[in-house]
Amino acid sequence: MANALSKKKKVGYAFGIFTESLIYNMFYTYYLTFLVEIVGIAPKYSSLVIFISIIWDAVTDPIIGNYTDRGGVDKRKVMKSAILPLGIIFIVAWTSFGAGLTSQTLKIILYTLISMCIWIFYTMYTIPYYAVVAELTEDYDERTNIRSTASLLNAGAVGLGNVLPALVPTVAILLGEKYASNSYAVVAAIISILAIVAGFVCVKSLNGIYKPKPVIQGAPKPAMKDTLKAFKEILSMKPTKFFLIFVFFFLTASSMIQSNLTYMVVDCIGIDYDTGIVYVIVSMVLSMAIIVPIVEKVAEKTDRRTASIIFLTITMVGEIIAKLVGLDAEIGGFKIMTIVCAALLGMGAGTFWTFFYSMGYDLVELDEFKTGKRRESTITALPQLIQKFGSAFGILMAGQLLSAYGYDSSKDTAGSESLIAVVTDPHIVGGMENISTIIPAAFLAVSIIALILYPMTRKNFNRLMDALNKQREGKKYSTQGLERLL
């Protein structure tokens, strides 16, 4: 197992984040709007389409995690086999051929099935992509460094995944009235090409530094019941519970804000969409790019938990202040919240994605210490499963709350190049503002509390590794100081 990967290899691996993040961000930011405004599915049902498809994705996580943990399975080949189908089905998902259907039920079924296909291939790529780092190095800071490199590139991926779809109105004009409703599909094609190229770069970068686990002769292949048993064993570890609560509630807050961005810009902030979304995306990307190296440095001085608590608390307080000030606040005639709210989202996202997977990797060693098994993919799959439940729940909440506050897009024509109709009802606008501020702030508070209770600090990890290395060598070891972990 390597402990000093070359910078070239780290950057090559990190490029793989584009494949995951471009598709993730376009879907999470715009798919609710696409289904409501272009396909013509009511908000409460559009959010249900997304919820069902992501829950399906969560179900496939343990299946794929189980498979890629087997001896002889090459994670690179699994990733490679998913890249091209993922790009193709992603384009299909954004075509408006369902807009002409008169039945809401048929529309719901059609786009649910298509979305489910996206997430199957997405999971086939992401589970081995993230799990492989735990096999490349056991060094605490190197894991953080690899993830921070990927997180820094992720700022660019987030930018592209959000800025390119923001060009949909311009693309609609270029396509003309007849084909305007497929503007999203054109952008999705560009996103898919970039994702495919980045994915193949990543797979190639793993050559020479990654070796599949050897096949153990006579050992039975793990069955799904073994994965469920592994999940039970992993969940029995004290740090896992707090880690998963942290993940679920952060992603609930984040996806709620992200799926509501369009309505936040147009209806809450009150700015022209074409201009406002550019300010929002640029601010979010710059915030992520700035925060990633800062949180990495703070983590080097302290640890990942402490850095996360500090910057997520700032994000939470910022969301509360944004609600108190009002999203339509101006300074010198400029709608300042297009910058502030986006920067807060970028700070939270940059912090979370820098540490999320590397914090999960620490559970691999704890699991090995307790069971004698290394289950990188299974331990990656479990947090991803919870991540997707949280993301799905956040989008479901956003859609249900839009309906509960009285939003109805029926006056806007399905399939029109018009992105959304401006809302003037103060009750609905206030609700949209809550979806972007105070409600996710409450979820963030729960996430931060779970982090405070999470016991896997740098000090405890180092104690664990000392005991684990002695255990591997057959030497006597002590569990003194590991009580909070064990």
Side-chain angles (χ1 to χ4, degrees):
M1 185 175 290
N3 281 320
L5 304 181
S6 70
K7 187 175 182 180
K8 183 179 179 180
K9 289 292 186 181
K10 287 180 183 177
V11 173
Y13 165 82
F15 258 98
I17 197 72
F18 277 88
T19 308
E20 182 265 335
S21 187
L22 286 170
I23 287 170
Y24 179 97
N25 280 281
M26 182 173 177
F27 187 92
Y28 273 84
T29 304
Y30 296 98
Y31 208 56
L32 181 63
T33 303
F34 168 76
L35 293 177
V36 172
E37 309 296 339
I38 302 299
V39 181
I41 301 175
K44 60 182 178 182
Y45 297 123
S46 293
S47 62
L48 193 61
V49 168
I50 297 171
F51 179 78
I52 292 170
S53 68
I54 298 175
I55 292 303
W56 163 249
D57 177 33
V59 170
T60 63
D61 281 349
I63 298 172
I64 294 171
N66 171 277
Y67 174 73
T68 55
D69 263 342
R70 295 179 182 182
V73 174
D74 191 330
K75 289 181 171 63
R76 294 168 299 183
K77 290 182 179 179
V78 177
M79 292 167 60
K80 190 175 181 180
S81 67
I83 294 169
L84 193 57
L86 176 60
I88 293 171
I89 196 65
F90 189 69
I91 297 170
V92 174
W94 294 91
T95 56
S96 65
F97 56 83
L101 297 174
T102 56
S103 170
Q104 283 277 300
T105 302
L106 286 177
K107 290 181 181 183
I108 292 167
I109 293 172
L110 176 63
Y111 283 91
T112 298
L113 291 174
I114 293 171
S115 300
M116 288 169 72
C117 290
I118 290 176
W119 295 113
I120 290 173
F121 294 112
Y122 173 90
T123 301
M124 286 177 62
Y125 176 82
T126 57
I127 290 290
Y129 171 70
Y130 287 114
V132 75
V133 175
E135 297 182 58
L136 298 179
T137 180
E138 291 179 347
D139 184 87
Y140 186 91
D141 288 319
E142 186 166 32
R143 285 177 173 179
T144 302
N145 181 255
I146 292 171
R147 294 304 324 144
S148 66
T149 301
S151 192
L152 193 59
L153 290 179
N154 188 38
V158 169
L160 288 172
N162 284 281
V163 167
L164 290 176
L167 299 176
V168 161
T170 303
V171 175
I173 294 171
L174 295 174
L175 291 178
E177 185 176 350
K178 185 176 181 181
Y179 301 105
S181 63
N182 277 312
S183 302
Y184 276 105
V186 173
V187 174
I190 298 170
I191 292 284
S192 293
I193 291 169
L194 293 173
I196 289 167
V197 171
F200 283 119
V201 168
C202 175
V203 171
K204 186 174 178 59
S205 76
L206 292 173
N207 292 339
I209 59 173
Y210 164 77
K211 290 183 180 180
K213 293 178 182 178
V215 177
I216 301 175
Q217 295 299 325
K221 290 184 177 180
M224 268 309 299
K225 64 178 182 180
D226 298 314
T227 298
L228 296 177
K229 181 182 177 182
F231 276 6
K232 185 177 179 180
E233 291 174 350
I234 294 163
L235 284 168
S236 71
M237 300 189 299
K238 289 183 180 180
T240 306
K241 298 179 179 68
F242 297 117
F243 177 61
L244 296 183
I245 293 171
F246 152 63
V247 170
F248 178 86
F249 283 97
F250 175 84
L251 266 300
T252 296
S254 177
S255 62
M256 185 180 293
I257 297 171
Q258 195 168 351
S259 63
N260 196 56
L261 275 183
T262 300
Y263 301 112
M264 183 188 79
V265 168
V266 176
D267 300 309
C268 301
I269 296 176
I271 191 171
D272 176 70
Y273 176 80
D274 292 358
T275 303
I277 201 68
V278 171
Y279 285 132
V280 166
I281 302 308
V282 170
S283 176
M284 181 168 63
V285 171
L286 287 177
S287 173
M288 287 186 69
I290 292 168
I291 206 66
V292 168
I294 294 174
V295 297
E296 183 186 6
K297 290 296 182 185
V298 173
E300 287 177 358
K301 297 291 185 182
T302 56
D303 55 35
R304 293 190 279 260
R305 186 191 72 159
T306 303
S308 297
I309 291 170
I310 291 171
F311 290 97
L312 292 185
T313 299
I314 294 172
T315 302
M316 179 192 69
V317 172
E319 294 290 352
I320 296 170
I321 292 173
K323 171 61 180 176
L324 294 175
V325 172
L327 296 188
D328 58 351
E330 298 182 9
I331 294 182
F334 178 71
K335 299 284 188 176
I336 188 65
M337 288 303 174
T338 54
I339 303 297
V340 174
C341 289
L344 290 170
L345 181 59
M347 178 185 294
T351 301
F352 179 83
W353 293 112
T354 298
F355 300 132
F356 167 49
Y357 285 102
S358 51
M359 289 170 76
Y361 299 149
D362 297 341
L363 299 176
V364 173
E365 277 71 45
L366 181 58
D367 180 44
E368 182 186 354
F369 185 72
K370 291 190 70 175
T371 67
K373 305 171 187 174
R374 286 192 68 83
R375 300 182 281 205
E376 295 89 356
S377 293
T378 302
I379 287 180
T380 300
L382 181 56
Q384 279 213 174
L385 184 152
I386 301 302
Q387 169 208 334
K388 289 160 188 172
F389 271 108
S391 298
F393 182 68
I395 293 177
L396 180 67
M397 285 282 290
Q400 298 303 310
L401 285 169
L402 281 173
S403 291
Y405 282 119
Y407 178 66
D408 180 9
S409 64
S410 61
K411 294 180 181 179
D412 195 19
T413 305
S416 168
E417 68 275 12
S418 174
L419 187 63
I420 61 173
V422 177
V423 176
T424 55
D425 186 324
H427 176 70
I428 299 174
V429 173
M432 291 175 168
E433 185 174 275
N434 290 340
I435 295 170
S436 289
T437 55
I438 196 70
I439 297 175
F443 287 116
L444 266 178
V446 179
S447 181
I448 293 165
I449 291 169
L451 267 179
I452 293 170
L453 297 173
Y454 177 66
M456 188 65 83
T457 61
R458 178 195 292 274
K459 184 177 181 180
N460 284 339
F461 179 80
N462 289 337
R463 286 173 176 167
L464 172 66
M465 288 306 301
D466 180 63
L468 178 60
N469 287 326
K470 289 177 179 177
Q471 185 189 73
R472 288 169 176 170
E473 296 168 4
K475 297 179 180 178
K476 288 185 179 181
Y477 59 87
S478 171
T479 59
Q480 187 175 356
L482 299 178
E483 292 82 6
R484 292 190 66 201
L485 302 185
L486 302 175

